[in-house]
């Protein structure tokens, strides 16, 4: 089935989306964007929708809050074309809501409900299509969090629910309270963690995987050759994979991606995305970009055909990345 120029894929619960989504986080946060990038970022969202992208990904934590405002403004008048996904629960940097104690992850029912109202307001919409818990709160039973998300569905504020970076056990417990449509986890040539049990669980339960940072936060595209290519306030400067020796050793991994891409006649970014897409029809990557040229390049990945031989070669030569994908606190919040 086609939608614009892009094929569609099905996540859980029959939710159909363009086979590649658009990550909006870096449009005004984390990756060195400035106010001057805003116009191009909005044009990128518009062009994505014209090309058949439907899944737009944001979160209240991005900015915080300003990324939802940017996305909300960009989709005004285009709401019907969008499968709008946002997230709550990661409260680092978000001002405490009165009565809710400060912690880095918050999955309490009252926080879920207050966050949803805030997101609806900033996005300027009357419902969210896919609402994720951004990280699992170790201090709140997942049944309580998902119970609140279920109430949001019943209230018509949310259509589908999802989890991010959740463990197989948590996914099962959540799914027993309310059907989970998608789990969003980092998945790329250099982040293969979902293969350690999560993908298997999702397939058993009929839940889709939304693959975030499928370009390795840009690194796998080959466009970043030195830490100096990143703005002084770029989040990636604090990521172990981008630091010191790890950066240099990971460049060797990128050289392998570049070489295979060259032989296939595609760009490294397209190879990286095509690899994610080849791992199953139930997987939808959400590469992030704030530029129309890169959007078009990335959407070109949908037409890249990797043969079983290509996939075997990639698997045999590509080692995993050197260095954790988050700092110490971020690592503790994973697989919750
Ligand atoms: N659930 C979670 O915890 C979580 C965590 C991280 C991200 N996410 C979501 O996933 C989305 C995607 O992940 P991500 O943005 O972290 O990483 P990504 O998609 O792997 O990479 C994005 C970076 O790559 C650059 N880029 C994009 N296309 C390129 C191309 N063709 N050639 C060269 N560079 C290219 C972008 O720069 P330009 O913008 O300058 O093109 C940006 O810096 C985010 O936007 C966010 O919505 C979720």
């Amino acid at each position: 089935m086609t939608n614009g120029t892009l094929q569609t894929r099905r996540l859980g619960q029959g939710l159909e989306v363009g086979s590649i989504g658009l990550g909006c986080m870096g449009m005004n946060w984390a990756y060195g964007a400035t106010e001057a990038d805003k116009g191009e970022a909005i044009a990128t969202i518009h062009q994505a929708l014209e090309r058949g992208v439907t899944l737009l990904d944001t979160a209240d934590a991005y900015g915080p809050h300003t990324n939802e405002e940017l996305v909300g403004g960009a989709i005004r008048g285009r709401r019907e074309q969008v499968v709008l996904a946002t997230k709550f629960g990661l409260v680092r940097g978000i001002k405490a809501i009165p009565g809710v104690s400060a912690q880095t992850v918050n999955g309490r029912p009252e926080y879920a409900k207050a966050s949803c109202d805030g997101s609806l307001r900033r996005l300027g919409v009357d419902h969210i299509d896919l609402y994720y818990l951004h990280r699992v709160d170790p201090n709140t039973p997942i049944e309580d969090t998902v119970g609140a998300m279920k109430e949001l569905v019943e209230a018509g504020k949310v259509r589908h629910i999802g989890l991010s970076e959740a463990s197989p056990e948590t996914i099962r417990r959540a799914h027993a309270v309310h059907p989970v449509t998608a789990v969003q986890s980092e998945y790329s040539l250099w982040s293969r963690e979902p293969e350690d049990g999560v993908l298997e669980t999702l397939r058993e339960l009929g839940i889709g995987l939304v693959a975030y940072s499928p370009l390795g936060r840009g690194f796998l595209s080959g466009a970043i050759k030195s830490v100096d290519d990143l703005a002084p306030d770029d989040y990636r400067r604090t990521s172990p994979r981008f630091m010191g020796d790890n950066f240099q050793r990971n460049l060797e991994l990128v050289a392998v991606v570049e070489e295979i891409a060259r032989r296939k006649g595609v760009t490294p970014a397209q190879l990286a995305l095509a690899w994610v897409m080849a791992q199953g029809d139930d997987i939808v990557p959400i590469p992030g970009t704030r530029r129309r040229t890169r959007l078009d390049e990335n959407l070109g990945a949908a037409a890249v055909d990797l043969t079983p031989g290509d996939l075997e070669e990639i698997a045999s030569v590509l080692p995993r990345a050197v260095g954790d994908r988050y700092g110490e606190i971020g690592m503790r919040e994973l697989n919750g």
Side-chain angles (χ1 to χ4, degrees), residues 244-262:
D245 248 20
N246 292 349
F247 188 102
Q248 291 311 317
R249 288 171 63 194
N250 286 325
L251 276 182
E252 292 166 23
L253 183 141
V254 171
V256 177
V257 177
E258 287 172 328
E259 169 55 20
I260 300 175
R262 195 188 51 74

Side-chain angles (χ1 to χ4, degrees), residues 301-331:
V304 176
D305 195 19
L306 296 180
T307 64
D310 293 330
L311 293 169
E312 227 169 85
E313 186 195 355
I314 292 169
S316 70
V317 293
L318 272 179
R320 293 190 186 201
V322 184
D324 284 337
R325 50 201 181 93
Y326 286 99
E328 207 186 316
I329 294 175
M331 287 304 289

Side-chain angles (χ1 to χ4, degrees), residues 127-281:
H127 72 274
I128 293 160
D129 296 302
L130 177 54
Y131 198 40
Y132 295 100
L133 174 63
H134 210 150
R135 289 290 183 273
V136 176
D137 178 356
N139 300 313
T140 304
I142 191 67
E143 287 80 2
D144 293 358
T145 308
V146 175
M149 295 168 84
K150 179 181 177 176
E151 286 179 34
L152 290 170
V153 173
E154 288 163 356
K157 295 181 178 181
V158 165
R159 293 274 155 87
H160 293 264
I161 70 164
L163 307 172
S164 180
E165 296 285 4
S167 67
E169 160 75 9
T170 299
I171 295 167
R172 274 180 204 288
R173 286 170 55 195
H175 196 68
V177 175
H178 185 82
V180 175
T181 292
V183 167
Q184 180 175 136
S185 289
E186 185 165 356
Y187 192 38
S188 71
L189 282 170
W190 78 351
S191 295
R192 308 278 286 269
E193 289 84 347
E195 293 169 9
D196 302 333
V198 167
L199 261 173
E200 198 184 339
T201 305
L202 297 183
R203 285 176 175 154
E204 185 195 319
L205 301 176
I207 300 169
L209 177 70
V210 171
Y212 82 72
S213 301
L215 298 171
R217 298 182 184 266
F219 197 83
L220 296 168
S221 73
I224 307 167
K225 295 289 192 231
S226 152
V227 177
D228 297 331
D229 292 336
L230 307 175
D233 62 344
D234 192 306
Y235 153 81
R236 291 169 288 194
R237 284 176 177 267
T238 67
S239 164
R241 288 188 180 174
F242 287 79
M243 291 162 94
D245 248 20
N246 292 349
F247 188 102
Q248 291 311 317
R249 288 171 63 194
N250 286 325
L251 276 182
E252 292 166 23
L253 183 141
V254 171
V256 177
V257 177
E258 287 172 328
E259 169 55 20
I260 300 175
R262 195 188 51 74
R263 270 193 279 125
K264 291 287 297 177
V266 302
T267 69
Q270 288 172 334
L271 184 85
L273 293 173
W275 179 87
V276 171
M277 297 181 79
Q279 305 312 304
D281 285 348

Side-chain angles (χ1 to χ4, degrees), residues 50-77:
E50 281 157 24
R51 301 272 194 274
V53 170
T54 61
L55 182 60
L56 299 184
D57 192 79
T58 180
D60 62 2
Y62 304 160
H65 297 160
T66 55
N67 195 247
E68 287 187 329
E69 287 162 1
L70 184 152
V71 172
I75 65 170
R76 209 149 292 146

